[in-house]
Amino acid sequence: VKEMKIVLSLLICGIGLTSKYLSEDFHANTPVFQSFLNYILLFLVYTTTLAVRQGEENLLAILKRRWWKYMILGIIDIEANYLVVKAYQYTTLTSVQLLDCFVIPVVILLSWFFLLVRYKAVHFIGIVVCILGMGCMAGADVLVGRQQGAGENKLIGDLLVLGGATLYGISNVCEEYIVRNLSRVEFLGMIGLFGSFFSGIQLAIMEHKELLKVPWDWQIGLLYVGFSACMFGLYSFMPVVIKKTSATAVNLSLLTADLYSLFCGLFLFHYKFSGLYLLSFFTILVGLVLYSSTSTYVAQDPRVYKQFRNPSGPVVDLPATGQLEPSVTYTSLGQETEEEPHVRVA
């Protein structure tokens, strides 16, 4: 799992680098087209896999039961990618990577209400510290931008990243639920199907003129191939790591991608760095260490769910009438263990 998290961080850094080169050096501002290429790859690999399956896991059977849910999830994922990739046109690589960690409090909030994950005081302290680090970074970015005469554009870029991070958080929590309760191939196949369809429509409406302006040569083609490969790898490996850990743990671990981006921005793009950048990054790391110092647990309450699956026993159905006894199941979410003991408190 640790090795896969490092791979994910490197893939995210690769996505950032290729996007920045395309937008800055070659003026190829095509965020929808870049995402469209990834969705086509997902469609060719995972949607076709679902199409040849038999029984209840077949593509048509899944569409009959849950098509509208995956349609909404696909649109959310498309716009998350669009906002973040679009932000590279306005702000710095480092700002995108650091502000993108806003996905962490979003995932935590959604996990609390929808996945019933429960956190301890130290987790919330870590979250607050991370948010403080993000605020410090945003201030430094605006200050440096004003010194360079581009403060307003950088602020727009920062806001785009925050919007994309919020949508990413929704997508990640849905992804965690699907890969734990259904399957990784179903999630990726449905994302590939609806993602390619709706991003193709968005591409035709919003970016057909920009795509014609791209000065095509082998370098631009190589950057598009590199971006697509990194995105496809990220989408393929992310569900595996989320299933073994959690969406929150994965997003916290991916903050290491910001370290790679700091060095890339310094040496490749010759950014003018403020000392506040480093201060904000180390503040975020402190928040990460605090959060990781203890494990979370899951509370499954029959007052919330009409039916739930006890990991150590059969499915339990609620009685139609009578007094309802509160019951909570606590499950440790250790990152490296496959099976954790469950303690039932009645």
Side-chain angles (χ1 to χ4, degrees):
V1 176
K2 291 180 179 179
E3 290 77 10
M4 294 189 71
K5 289 178 181 177
I6 295 175
V7 171
L8 292 180
S9 295
L10 292 174
L11 289 173
I12 291 176
C13 185
I15 291 168
L17 286 175
T18 52
S19 294
K20 199 62 180 176
Y21 271 119
L22 283 169
S23 63
E24 279 199 351
D25 292 7
F26 298 96
H27 305 288
N29 300 320
T30 57
V32 179
F33 177 67
Q34 290 168 235
S35 298
F36 177 72
L37 294 176
N38 171 56
Y39 291 125
I40 288 295
L41 290 176
L42 292 175
F43 177 87
L44 293 175
V45 175
Y46 296 104
T47 308
T48 53
T49 300
L50 291 177
V52 299
R53 283 184 173 180
Q54 303 296 323
E56 292 298 313
E57 295 184 350
N58 179 264
L59 176 63
L60 293 178
I62 295 172
L63 287 174
K64 288 179 181 179
R65 296 193 303 270
R66 295 182 285 269
W67 67 271
W68 64 273
K69 297 178 182 178
Y70 283 116
M71 182 183 71
I72 295 173
L73 180 58
I75 293 174
I76 290 173
D77 196 75
I78 290 169
E79 299 312 318
N81 287 325
Y82 172 76
L83 291 177
V84 172
V85 177
K86 186 74 173 177
Y88 286 105
Q89 301 174 23
Y90 297 99
T91 188
T92 61
L93 174 64
T94 304
S95 297
V96 172
Q97 298 288 2
L98 288 176
L99 272 178
D100 196 39
C101 71
F102 183 71
V103 69
I104 294 169
V106 174
V107 168
I108 289 171
L109 188 64
L110 294 176
S111 296
W112 178 282
F113 287 106
F114 295 102
L115 300 182
L116 298 182
V117 178
R118 295 295 177 258
Y119 304 92
K120 302 173 184 176
V122 66
H123 296 123
F124 291 108
I125 295 174
I127 296 168
V128 171
V129 172
C130 285
I131 293 175
L132 289 175
M134 290 164 48
C136 180
M137 189 283 310
D141 191 39
V142 172
L143 289 175
V144 172
R146 286 174 180 168
Q147 292 170 2
Q148 297 172 347
E152 292 182 0
N153 287 339
K154 286 180 175 292
L155 185 58
I156 292 174
D158 291 344
L159 293 175
L160 288 174
V161 179
L162 290 175
T166 301
L167 295 179
Y168 270 135
I170 298 173
S171 177
N172 284 170
V173 172
C174 294
E175 180 178 354
E176 180 177 351
Y177 177 84
I178 293 169
V179 299
R180 288 184 182 275
N181 295 278
L182 299 171
S183 75
R184 164 181 170 267
V185 175
E186 177 175 331
F187 170 77
L188 294 173
M190 292 295 100
I191 288 293
L193 176 63
F194 288 105
S196 57
F197 178 76
F198 286 107
S199 64
I201 294 175
Q202 188 173 352
L203 173 64
I205 295 174
M206 299 179 60
E207 276 190 6
H208 63 281
K209 292 183 180 179
E210 286 292 335
L211 204 56
L212 294 175
K213 295 178 182 178
V214 175
W216 292 99
D217 58 22
W218 68 271
Q219 290 178 309
I220 291 181
L222 193 61
L223 287 172
Y224 276 116
V225 170
F227 177 90
S228 302
C230 290
M231 283 288 284
F232 179 77
L234 179 66
Y235 271 68
S236 298
F237 289 123
M238 179 78 85
V240 178
V241 184
I242 284 181
K243 187 174 182 179
K244 291 180 177 294
T245 58
S246 69
T248 305
V250 170
N251 281 286
L252 285 169
S253 300
L254 292 181
L255 288 177
T256 53
D258 301 334
L259 181 61
Y260 308 139
S261 299
L262 279 169
F263 288 108
C264 289
L266 178 62
F267 294 106
L268 297 179
F269 300 110
H270 307 291
Y271 287 153
K272 181 178 180 181
F273 281 94
S274 167
L276 290 176
Y277 278 130
L278 293 179
L279 175 62
S280 64
F281 180 73
F282 286 112
T283 303
I284 292 172
L285 286 184
V286 170
L288 172 62
V289 171
L290 288 173
Y291 181 91
S292 304
S293 62
T294 184
S295 61
T296 59
Y297 61 92
V298 174
Q300 290 179 330
D301 192 335
R303 291 172 296 184
V304 178
Y305 292 111
K306 293 181 180 179
Q307 181 179 351
F308 69 97
R309 187 176 300 278
N310 188 336
S312 60
V315 174
V316 179
D317 293 304
L318 289 179
T321 59
Q323 183 66 29
L324 186 63
E325 293 294 333
S327 176
V328 180
T329 300
Y330 296 94
T331 305
S332 173
L333 288 182
Q335 294 187 10
E336 305 299 332
T337 58
E338 296 290 340
E339 296 292 340
E340 293 288 347
H342 305 282
V343 180
R344 190 172 183 80
V345 181

